[in-house]
Amino acid sequence: MENHYDGRAWIELNRSALAENVKFLQSRLPKDCKLMPAIKANAYGHGADLVAKELLRLGVDSFCVAEIMEAVALRTQGITGEILVLGYTHPTQFSLLKQYQIMQTVVDYDYAKQLNDYGEQLHVHIGIDTGMHRLGERSENIDAFCEIFKMKNLIIDGMFTHLSAVDAMGAAEQDFTNTQVETFYQVVTALQERGFRCPKLHLQSSYGVLNYPELAEDYARVGIALYGVLSNRADTKKWRSCLTPVLSLHTRVVCVRDLYQGESAGYGLQYIADEDRRIATLALGYADGLPRSLSKGRGYVLIHGKKAPIIGLICMDQAMIDVTEIPEAAEGDVVTVIGSSEGEEILASDLADWCGTITNEILSRLGQRLERVMM
Ligand SMILES: *Cc1c(COP(=O)(O)O)cnc(C)c1O
């Protein structure tokens, strides 16, 4: 998978990996549980339009995003099917929900009133706070849920909660998850007992599908796993035989030069050659999502299947690597920052590990300048 594209720096998406991941995740769920892929933040950096189009082709037709403008952009690009906005939409933008047929999350009771006051019928999913305490009406406020169900302008298509500790399987996390699940069904049951029709339900995200497949309901809101990686390196490796990374990130060698003993490279005298070196400049920087904290040898890239350490401080648009041990390195060579090259592989979760964050952050911050190609 090299040299298929002529740009300065680009992302290649592996079409069959996406299809396999969809198949694997669906295989862990009953047939009547639909995947509702999370394609927020430009589909975790992959490119929301490319990913959504491919998912539609694969028969997946429900999506969730973080905010209204992400949903509008998808509609404008011709994406059909259901789209749920998981986060806040300002009342001045409620008209877009109607215009583009987008479902909105009810973030709490007061917000439900605002949605209802818009005066036209809007499709919503009610968020239930079962312990994460981020969004959702608090689970004990059954009367508030009843009031929401009585609101004339709300078409309640769904009810959901978000499980905040499903990624770890320690005793404390499992207890917490079980309590969240019980709390969710207490709300569902209470509403049913008061005669309200039960809408579609959903409570799983990626780790929910992997660690608690039995919690399947009408939808599973899968994000990171769909892209074939998990939040950290250990989990990514553990599930590597079931999930295939969809994204690889490549750039090009701009130039190769000698650096003589005692000379510095890059900003701030942060790299000084201890002996004569050969270095290469890459057309990729922190504005493209290469974390600046990988400067000064904390990260490496692959060139001709060999590891080349990043030296000095990563710049906005460029970075430098040491290619002293890779004499064949030359201008125009393809460099792999995430992905595999001649048997060596760098996972997005490796980058995350090197800079002390999670894969989700690395991927979702990949820049707008990168061209994205589905292959
Ligand atoms: C982002 C998000 C998801 C997807 O989470 P993953 O862990 O990436 O699968 C699901 N539900 C909500 C509410 C989210 O915000």
Side-chain angles (χ1 to χ4, degrees), residues 7 46 66-67 69 98 112 122 166 173 178 182 185 187 203 228 235 284 295 299 319:
H46 290 60
E67 53 128 25
M69 292 320 288
K98 181 99 193 156
L122 295 175
V166 282
E173 287 88 357
N178 292 336
E182 265 170 46
Y185 285 106
V187 176
L203 57 172
D235 292 338
L284 188 78
S295 295

Side-chain angles (χ1 to χ4, degrees), residues 249-268:
L249 171 62
H250 307 272
T251 182
R252 244 173 237 292
V253 172
V254 176
C255 58
V256 179
R257 66 188 59 214
D258 293 315
L259 190 70
Y260 300 110
Q261 184 179 24
E263 288 183 325
S264 68
Y267 286 117

Side-chain angles (χ1 to χ4, degrees), residues 85-188:
V85 173
L86 295 167
Y88 177 78
T89 300
H90 192 271
T92 56
Q93 295 184 307
F94 286 166
S95 60
L96 296 172
L97 294 170
K98 181 99 193 156
Q99 184 184 348
Y100 291 97
Q101 298 185 46
I102 291 158
M103 305 183 290
Q104 170 62 42
T105 294
V106 173
V107 303
D108 62 12
Y109 171 68
D110 287 334
Y111 191 68
K113 281 198 294 192
Q114 294 191 54
L115 284 163
N116 190 53
D117 287 346
Y118 174 63
E120 290 193 59
Q121 303 257 294
L122 295 175
H123 287 265
V124 300
H125 284 228
I126 302 173
I128 305 179
D129 176 12
T130 58
M132 185 172 184
H133 305 316
R134 183 175 67 176
L135 296 186
E137 179 57 35
R138 285 188 70 99
S139 57
E140 65 270 29
N141 298 341
I142 299 300
D143 289 341
F145 287 106
C146 291
E147 290 307 310
I148 296 172
F149 267 80
K150 288 185 207 151
M151 291 179 181
K152 289 211 163 44
N153 292 324
L154 300 191
I155 303 165
I156 297 163
D157 292 328
M159 260 192 320
F160 71 99
T161 195
H162 196 40
L163 304 173
S164 51
V166 282
D167 58 328
M169 294 300 273
E173 287 88 357
Q174 291 198 47
D175 280 352
F176 190 83
T177 299
N178 292 336
T179 305
Q180 278 198 284
V181 172
E182 265 170 46
T183 307
F184 180 71
Y185 285 106
Q186 278 165 10
V187 176
V188 172

Side-chain angles (χ1 to χ4, degrees), residues 38 40 44 64 86 134 160-162 204-207 221-225 227 231 360:
K40 58 195 182 186
Y44 293 42
C64 52
L86 295 167
R134 183 175 67 176
F160 71 99
T161 195
H162 196 40
Q204 289 165 306
S205 57
S206 293
Y207 277 95
R221 305 181 307 268
V222 288
I224 193 72
Y227 305 107
S231 294
N360 314 44

